[in-house]
Amino acid sequence: MRFTFWNWTLALCCPVLVGALLLPLRASISPTDVAMLQLLWLVYLAQRSGYKPALLSTLMAVLVVNWCFVPPYYTLAVHDASFVISFFVMAFFGVMVSYWADQAKARRQRVRHLRRQAQKAAVQARLEQQKAMLLRSLSHDLRTPLATIMGASSMLADDELPLSPQQRQQQAQNIYQQSLLLSQHFEKVLELSKTQLTDSLSISSFSSDDLVAAALARRGEDLTALAAQLQLSGAIALTGDMELLEILLANLLENAWKYGQTPFVLQFELLNQSYQLTLSNAVAVRTQQADSGYNLGLAICQSIARLHKGQFEFQLDGEQAVAQLEWPR
């Protein structure tokens, strides 16, 4: 804590105030008792304001005890050697308490600094991991569609290459399909970028049914068939950033549809202190060969969960895949 004017004022005035409050009891208490009561204030001040104000307050407390409670009163003369020892002990204790408090404060600051450094390192490591994953995803998911598009377009552009109408139609269809894959992948990259660049949430209230409808509509025709097979359970009112939660659910539904199989069960629950979203589906064989777009979707979910100060878990075993998000109410 900084040595403000208020801290210095307390250091000077409070020993005088304590002495003034105890002055009517001077006949029934000893100077040693007064010194002990002054030390209680010194311990508090050392913890609150640090080393230097506590030292000043220690000196002031010694003067107040000597002036008001040691005969002859209202002088700094000391006729009893035992009082000198008491003053010395009081001053020594006040100095040591101030020093210990200052050292403890320095240790707390070092601990806080180390904790902040560790948090920064963890955030940096997570960002590096996400960057590496994004680069792997881009190199994997862009290379194959681009190669297919380049090959098909070069065939269509080559007048010397004899192609039947069916072959030309097939190559045009390949270009279209691979372009859709590129568009879907860029959509995921943009969603991940949005979660990384968002500092604050736009909190609102909405129903779980509205969230499901928005998530299905976000992927359009890709999830039309899933909408008819999705088993919904537990319609409740939710609070959160609807757009980000919509992105999260859209990725979960897309992964379940692409790499899983029926039954697809989506459940919402209202717990004591949190909301819970659970999506489960049977595991298809092709899930084991899920591409990096699958992992990118899970990374988006984890990022959105962190923004909501919640937890996201995904469990995949031989027969069942379960994705679960829990975030505070």
Side-chain angles (χ1 to χ4, degrees), residues 2 69 83 151 178 219 292:
R2 293 178 298 177
F69 295 93
F83 291 140
Q178 297 303 314
R219 292 295 187 259
S292 57

Side-chain angles (χ1 to χ4, degrees), residues 8-304:
W8 291 106
T9 302
L10 286 177
L12 287 172
C13 296
C14 282
V16 177
L17 178 61
V18 171
L21 292 174
L22 295 176
L23 192 59
L25 304 175
R26 184 168 60 185
S28 57
I29 61 175
S30 68
T32 303
D33 295 331
V34 177
M36 294 301 101
L37 293 174
Q38 289 281 11
L39 286 176
L40 293 177
W41 156 251
L42 293 176
V43 171
Y44 169 76
L45 182 65
Q47 294 292 330
R48 182 186 185 280
S49 302
Y51 181 61
K52 293 181 179 179
L55 282 180
L56 177 62
S57 194
T58 298
L59 176 61
M60 196 66 187
V62 171
L63 294 176
V64 168
V65 173
N66 190 14
W67 183 267
C68 296
F69 295 93
V70 176
Y73 300 129
Y74 311 119
T75 71
L76 296 179
V78 179
H79 294 169
D80 192 337
S82 62
F83 291 140
V84 176
I85 296 176
S86 298
F87 293 153
F88 175 77
V89 172
M90 180 181 177
F92 176 79
F93 186 77
V95 170
M96 293 307 299
V97 167
S98 303
Y99 175 76
W100 291 332
D102 200 55
Q103 292 298 308
K105 177 183 175 184
R107 284 194 295 271
R108 289 194 298 269
Q109 290 176 342
R110 286 195 296 270
V111 169
R112 285 195 294 266
H113 176 71
L114 291 175
R115 187 179 294 117
R116 285 194 296 267
Q117 293 297 322
Q119 291 173 347
K120 289 180 181 179
V123 170
Q124 185 63 31
R126 185 170 65 247
L127 291 176
E128 292 296 331
Q129 181 181 10
Q130 292 176 347
K131 184 188 298 183
M133 180 192 65
L134 181 58
L135 291 176
R136 288 195 302 270
S137 177
L138 288 173
S139 63
H140 176 276
D141 291 351
L142 297 185
R143 184 182 294 116
T144 301
L146 285 175
T148 303
I149 291 173
M150 291 174 64
S153 59
S154 64
M155 292 177 64
L156 293 176
D158 191 349
D159 294 335
E160 297 181 359
L161 184 64
L163 294 175
S164 65
Q166 293 80 7
Q167 290 175 321
R168 290 184 176 277
Q169 183 179 6
Q170 180 62 43
Q171 295 305 319
Q173 185 67 20
N174 287 342
I175 293 175
Y176 175 72
Q177 292 294 336
Q178 297 303 314
S179 298
L180 284 180
L181 288 177
L182 287 177
S183 177
Q184 293 170 0
H185 190 70
F186 278 122
E187 178 70 19
K188 286 183 179 293
V189 172
L190 291 175
E191 289 175 350
L192 181 59
S193 299
K194 179 178 179 62
T195 64
Q196 295 300 318
L197 296 176
T198 299
D199 294 328
S200 59
L201 300 178
S202 178
I203 301 298
S204 62
S205 298
F206 48 89
S207 69
S208 57
D209 290 339
D210 289 341
L211 179 63
V212 174
L216 290 170
R218 189 177 188 87
R219 292 295 187 259
E221 297 179 358
D222 294 339
L223 297 181
T224 301
L226 173 62
Q229 301 182 35
L230 187 62
Q231 302 175 25
L232 290 175
S233 174
I236 60 174
L238 302 172
T239 300
D241 190 313
M242 183 173 179
E243 182 180 4
L244 292 180
L245 292 173
E246 171 193 324
I247 291 174
L248 179 145
L249 184 56
N251 279 279
L252 291 182
L253 293 172
E254 183 181 33
N255 283 347
W257 179 245
K258 282 185 176 181
Y259 307 110
Q261 58 186 7
T262 57
F264 302 99
V265 180
L266 178 59
Q267 182 177 12
F268 292 92
E269 292 183 87
L270 186 60
L271 306 180
N272 289 334
Q273 301 295 330
S274 61
Y275 305 104
Q276 190 176 83
L277 177 160
T278 305
L279 176 63
S280 61
N281 59 271
V283 174
V285 175
R286 63 181 181 275
T287 303
Q288 306 302 328
Q289 292 83 35
D291 60 21
S292 57
Y294 179 86
N295 294 323
L296 187 58
L298 295 181
I300 293 171
C301 295
Q302 291 170 346
S303 182
I304 293 174

